[in-house]
Coordinates of all heavy atoms in Angstrom, one line a residue:
G149 N 269.8 -15.4 116.4 CA 269.5 -15.0 117.8 C 268.1 -14.4 118.2 O 267.9 -14.0 119.3
D150 N 267.3 -14.3 117.1 CA 266.0 -13.6 117.2 C 265.9 -12.4 117.8 O 264.9 -12.0 118.4 CB 265.1 -14.7 117.9 CG 264.7 -15.9 117.2 OD1 264.7 -15.8 116.0 OD2 264.6 -17.0 117.8
K151 N 267.0 -11.6 117.6 CA 267.1 -10.2 118.0 C 266.3 -9.3 116.9 O 266.3 -9.6 115.8 CB 268.5 -9.6 118.3 CG 269.1 -10.1 119.4 CD 270.5 -9.3 119.7 CE 271.1 -9.8 120.9 NZ 270.7 -9.2 122.1
S152 N 265.8 -8.2 117.3 CA 265.3 -7.2 116.4 C 266.5 -6.6 115.7 O 267.6 -6.6 116.1 CB 264.4 -6.1 117.1 OG 265.4 -5.2 117.8
P153 N 266.3 -6.0 114.4 CA 267.3 -5.4 113.7 C 268.0 -4.4 114.5 O 269.2 -4.4 114.4 CB 266.6 -4.9 112.4 CG 265.5 -5.9 112.2 CD 265.0 -6.2 113.6
R154 N 267.2 -3.5 115.0 CA 267.9 -2.4 115.9 C 268.8 -2.9 117.0 O 269.9 -2.5 117.2 CB 266.8 -1.4 116.4 CG 267.3 -0.4 117.4 CD 268.5 0.4 116.9 NE 268.2 1.3 115.8 CZ 269.2 1.9 115.1 NH1 270.4 1.8 115.4 NH2 268.9 2.7 114.0
D155 N 268.2 -3.9 117.8 CA 268.9 -4.4 118.9 C 270.1 -5.3 118.4 O 271.2 -5.2 119.1 CB 268.0 -5.5 119.7 CG 266.9 -4.7 120.5 OD1 267.0 -3.5 120.7 OD2 266.0 -5.3 120.9
A156 N 270.0 -5.9 117.3 CA 271.2 -6.7 116.7 C 272.3 -5.7 116.3 O 273.4 -5.9 116.7 CB 270.7 -7.5 115.5
L157 N 271.9 -4.6 115.7 CA 273.0 -3.6 115.3 C 273.6 -3.0 116.5 O 274.9 -2.9 116.6 CB 272.3 -2.6 114.4 CG 273.4 -1.5 113.8 CD1 274.4 -2.2 112.9 CD2 272.6 -0.5 113.0
D158 N 272.8 -2.6 117.5 CA 273.3 -2.0 118.7 C 274.2 -2.9 119.4 O 275.4 -2.5 119.9 CB 272.1 -1.6 119.6 CG 271.3 -0.4 119.1 OD1 271.8 0.3 118.1 OD2 270.3 -0.1 119.6
A159 N 273.8 -4.2 119.5 CA 274.7 -5.2 120.2 C 276.1 -5.4 119.4 O 277.0 -5.4 120.0 CB 274.0 -6.5 120.3
A160 N 275.9 -5.4 118.1 CA 277.1 -5.7 117.3 C 278.1 -4.5 117.4 O 279.3 -4.6 117.4 CB 276.8 -5.9 115.9
M161 N 277.5 -3.3 117.4 CA 278.3 -2.1 117.5 C 279.0 -1.9 118.9 O 280.2 -1.5 119.0 CB 277.6 -0.8 117.3 CG 276.9 -0.7 115.9 SD 278.0 -0.4 114.5 CE 279.1 -1.7 114.3
V162 N 278.4 -2.3 120.0 CA 279.0 -2.3 121.3 C 280.2 -3.4 121.3 O 281.1 -3.1 121.8 CB 278.0 -2.7 122.3 CG1 278.6 -3.0 123.7 CG2 277.0 -1.5 122.6
D163 N 279.9 -4.5 120.7 CA 280.9 -5.6 120.7 C 282.1 -5.1 119.9 O 283.3 -5.4 120.3 CB 280.4 -6.9 120.1 CG 279.4 -7.6 120.9 OD1 279.3 -7.3 122.2 OD2 278.7 -8.5 120.4
A164 N 281.9 -4.5 118.7 CA 282.9 -4.0 117.9 C 283.8 -2.9 118.6 O 284.9 -2.8 118.4 CB 282.3 -3.4 116.6

Side-chain angles (χ1 to χ4, degrees):
D150 290 327
K151 285 188 180 276
S152 72
R154 171 53 65 192
D155 289 345
L157 183 60
D158 290 346
M161 300 286 61
V162 168
D163 289 347

